[in-house]
Amino acid sequence: MDKIIGRKAEVKQVLECFESDKSELVSVYGRRRVGKTFLIKRCFNEEFDFWFTGIYKATRVQHLTQFQNVLKEKSGTKIKKLQDWFQAFEALKNYLLSLNKDKVVVFLDEIPWMDTPKSNFLAAFSYFWNMWPSNKTLLKLYVCGSATTWMINKFVGDKGGLYGRTSCSIYLAPFNLGETEEFLKKVKQIEMNRHQILELYMILGGIPYYLDMLRKDLPLTKNIDNLFFKENANLKTEYEFLFRSLFKDSKNYRKVVEALSEKKKGLTREEIKEATHIKEGGTLTEILSNLTQCDFIREYNAIGKEQRDSLFQLTDLFTLFYLNFVQKGNSQDENFWSNFAFTGDKNSWAGYSFEQVCFHHIKQIKSKLSILGVLSSIYSWSCKGFVDKDGAKWTGGQIDMLIDRNDEVINICEIKYSSDEYAITDAYEETLRKRASLFKKVTKTKKALQHTFITTYGLKQNRYSGMIQSEVTMDDLFQL
């Protein structure tokens, strides 16, 4: 088996199911381009007893015709024309049993695309699985799907014939920073320093398929120009296709993420409704739920706030970059990123994207703080200015990240993206102290508050840095 970057736990799950003494139904899901197919293919060196891939926007008849062709090729015999999926799976069963093997391995890729309207695909699939004669041959059935909501709601969470039948469900996440670094070095033979890799990650979001498009003979800025801004760039149309392939009503999904891209701190459900004009109720609820499940957005509640006050925030790094730069007309300039990357104008995007990188690396942050084993909740927090009952005026404030720990401590995390060590000034120290006092007053917390700085290159030591109890740097985020 060729070396797989990261994915140690996932590979172990895949192979343990193969080695078990029973039939196994294994689902692998995650966003498009994240490497689901690659993982299964590499685990089995592309040696399957049967392998079929769903076709984007193909009809039931087209799917059945191709299924028949693959069966014919594999079996070397004539296959009767398949009228429906029940016949297709019956033919598959007969072929697999004819192999007279102790176990057979089947891989059905992009299975959500096979479930076309009125196809009865799921009913036929569940009947095939439930009626498989395990006393004759063990069936190791692996299925993949990019449509995460379909995989979770209709397959893994099916309340019908597949209820409780999935042996193992594997969610494949994008690479973290450490895995991205390893991929660049070992697969692409690309040498970058960690600040460059961080910037690349803020653009591509750790998606292996996108990373594999990089050319080692080009600098980072030119690679980005080639991927997004030159004529017929590979990723210039990826945003729209990504949403069309994942969500049936992709237009409304794009409305939501585009509204969120304009408000860094996030929007409430009511504010999203006003910005998009999508009806409240089932439609908006489903969209927000599906975007959350697919890791495009996150929902968070401020300490002491009600559920109805929760905020939704856009967190998908690829989408953030695309909406900030490509969709806004910069794609007319083929050298846009080469000219823009070294200007101060990119700082607003970089600062916010670095915050999202940190939220994608909570495990690494907690590890550096030596609190991996401490039960914690992660929040963002903001408060508008007000006058208290004693007539005192309080200026509002916002905290990038709070780690609310079960050991009576809350880490107030300031996240700062910088090209050098970050220096705390006299004015900023006063802001930090006032913000902590405001947080304590509003939340009425009795927990100890500790200031933590998460920066690219660390804090510059000066007369004000002593108030910071702990630091996390860019290098700490690269921990595997």
Side-chain angles (χ1 to χ4, degrees), residues 355-368:
E355 285 183 29
Q356 301 315 311
V357 171
C358 292
F359 277 101
H360 289 303
H361 290 75
I362 296 298
K363 177 182 176 182
Q364 286 78 8
I365 292 170
K366 291 182 66 176
S367 176
K368 176 58 187 298

Side-chain angles (χ1 to χ4, degrees), residues 403-462:
I403 305 178
D404 186 8
R405 296 156 44 179
N406 209 35
D407 59 355
E408 298 301 311
V409 174
I410 296 177
N411 290 86
I412 296 181
C413 301
E414 292 288 319
I415 301 174
K416 297 297 179 185
Y417 177 86
S418 174
S419 58
D420 205 341
E421 291 181 318
Y422 187 85
I424 299 176
T425 63
D426 178 44
Y428 191 49
E429 185 210 33
E430 181 67 16
T431 297
L432 293 174
R433 294 190 184 280
K434 287 183 177 179
R435 192 178 297 162
S437 297
L438 173 68
F439 175 76
K440 202 156 194 172
K441 179 176 182 62
V442 172
T443 63
K444 298 180 173 56
T445 183
K446 298 291 193 296
K447 293 186 176 183
L449 304 182
Q450 294 186 359
H451 284 285
T452 299
F453 259 66
I454 307 173
T455 62
T456 42
Y457 291 108
L459 279 177
K460 184 178 181 62
Q461 297 302 303
N462 59 23

